[in-house]
Amino acid sequence: MSMISRRTLAAVGAGALTLQNAAAQSYPSRPIRWILGFGAGGVGDLIARLVAPRISEGLGGQPLVIENRPSAGGIVAAEAVARAEPDGYTLLLVTTTTATAAAMYRALPFDTIRDFTFVGQLAVFEHVIATAADGPYKNLRGLIAAARERPGRINLGSIGVGSAQHLSVELFKSVAGIEATVVNYRSTPELINAIATGEVQAGFETLAPVMPQLGGRLRGLAIPAPVRFSGLPQVPTTAEEGLPDYVIRSWNGICAPAGLPPGIAERLNRELIRVAAMPDVQNRLRELGVEPMSGPPDALRDLMKAEIARYDGIVAKAGIERL
């Protein structure tokens, strides 16, 4: 390569870096679209609407405008962000569903790792194993013992084929060494009713929508997390019930299109960490059955890679047909 060519390339590179730095310094100068892959009213939507104004405060008051684009696997929302300009004005609420979709679908219109800039994690969602309050099972050990005594006769419920909840049941069967029938429902209210009436002997769901029923129609058998959830200190972990290898937690965070200038990614990450540390945000999240969780961008990227591999293994072992 000639000296002129090298100098030209160096000048072009320096010019691009200067433009990126300038963009980062002036960011944001207009509203930011925050795209969610599910409808309004769910826990993920509530979290986004809780933290969006706080993030906005740290970004000079520029609003984060939430845009709900529900679809199977959150694919429509993720594709919209993957194809957007990497200028920081289009963000994605990335979730566990993004990882399960990568495991469940034979092909996606984007690469879950390469087509995104990972900004940072926002929260983790605890799951819960619940049974009818007036049912025969007082603890998880009792349910497992009954399933071993009557292979295939116990019904376990979840929602959404290929969802984290569904795959958590398949993992539970494997770790507990039991045979059971998995029944998938279209919605959480249907699942809760099936648990309460004994149509299924236990249900597996994220904690937030089940919490209001615990102590009423439902009994919490265990939470598959490393430690007890602070809002339900009376419910043991699955490790305490004899399954130390059974841990399932959902999570979410923020991604942007690949190629986002580092300065913008760093600023957004700082805002996530700042907001996650706010006591009022933490208290409200815990009321929803959610724990605040923040960290560096690499931690979210590593989590996504690990979760895709984990769910891919669950799908393969359970023999679930990919979509």
Side-chain angles (χ1 to χ4, degrees):
M1 183 181 293
S2 68
M3 183 63 70
I4 294 177
S5 297
R6 288 175 179 168
R7 287 175 177 172
T8 300
L9 288 173
V12 169
L17 183 60
T18 299
L19 289 174
Q20 284 191 356
N21 290 336
Q25 290 172 4
S26 63
Y27 175 83
S29 59
R30 64 178 190 271
I32 300 164
R33 296 165 63 214
W34 193 4
I35 302 179
L36 281 56
F38 37 81
V43 178
D45 179 75
L46 293 175
I47 292 172
R49 294 180 190 277
L50 171 67
V51 303
R54 274 90 167 174
I55 296 173
S56 174
E57 291 168 0
L59 295 176
Q62 289 293 346
L64 272 70
V65 181
I66 293 174
E67 184 177 322
N68 299 94
R69 291 198 184 185
S71 69
I75 294 172
V76 170
E79 182 179 12
V81 174
R83 295 179 182 276
E85 288 295 321
D87 53 13
Y89 292 99
T90 305
L91 305 176
L92 173 69
L93 184 69
V94 64
T95 71
T96 314
T97 301
T98 315
T100 59
M104 277 295 300
Y105 285 83
R106 293 188 176 92
L108 293 172
F110 52 83
D111 186 284
T112 309
I113 302 298
R114 291 196 303 269
D115 289 343
F116 297 97
T117 297
F118 290 83
V119 172
Q121 192 172 347
L122 183 58
V124 293
F125 299 59
E126 305 298 3
H127 287 221
V128 65
I129 305 171
T131 191
D134 59 357
Y137 306 110
K138 308 304 180 185
N139 52 54
L140 187 62
R141 292 178 188 271
L143 176 69
I144 293 172
R148 288 173 178 168
E149 290 173 4
R150 296 180 291 157
R153 301 285 297 278
I154 295 292
N155 294 332
L156 304 177
S158 72
I159 62 168
V161 174
S163 67
Q165 293 93 320
H166 171 212
L167 297 181
S168 77
V169 185
E170 298 293 350
L171 179 62
F172 175 77
K173 289 167 53 183
S174 175
V175 173
I178 63 171
E179 295 179 22
T181 301
V182 180
V183 184
N184 283 298
Y185 293 87
R186 291 175 298 179
S187 68
T188 297
E190 289 180 345
L191 172 61
I192 288 174
N193 187 64
I195 300 168
T197 60
E199 187 173 303
V200 295
Q201 281 65 59
F204 293 63
E205 178 56 294
T206 51
L207 179 57
V210 178
M211 277 185 71
Q213 304 290 334
L214 297 177
R217 300 173 72 199
L218 305 182
R219 175 188 297 118
L221 294 178
I223 291 177
V227 297
R228 294 193 182 197
F229 178 64
S230 58
L232 291 170
Q234 74 278 16
V235 180
T237 66
T238 44
E240 292 175 278
E241 288 293 296
L243 296 181
D245 295 329
Y246 181 68
V247 175
I248 285 283
R249 309 174 93 188
S250 292
W251 47 269
N252 62 21
I254 291 181
C255 280
L260 183 70
I264 294 178
E266 290 166 6
R267 184 169 184 193
L268 287 170
N269 180 263
R270 287 198 303 271
E271 292 306 317
L272 284 182
I273 293 172
R274 179 183 65 83
V275 171
M278 292 180 172
D280 64 323
V281 171
Q282 293 183 348
N283 291 337
R284 179 58 182 141
L285 288 178
R286 288 176 180 136
E287 289 174 2
L288 295 171
V290 175
E291 288 284 358
M293 179 72 70
S294 59
D298 286 349
L300 179 58
R301 182 187 298 107
D302 291 344
L303 175 63
M304 177 66 79
K305 289 180 178 178
E307 290 283 83
I308 291 172
R310 184 187 196 196
Y311 285 113
D312 188 69
I314 295 171
V315 169
K317 187 169 185 177
I320 301 171
E321 185 176 356
R322 299 179 195 268
L323 303 175

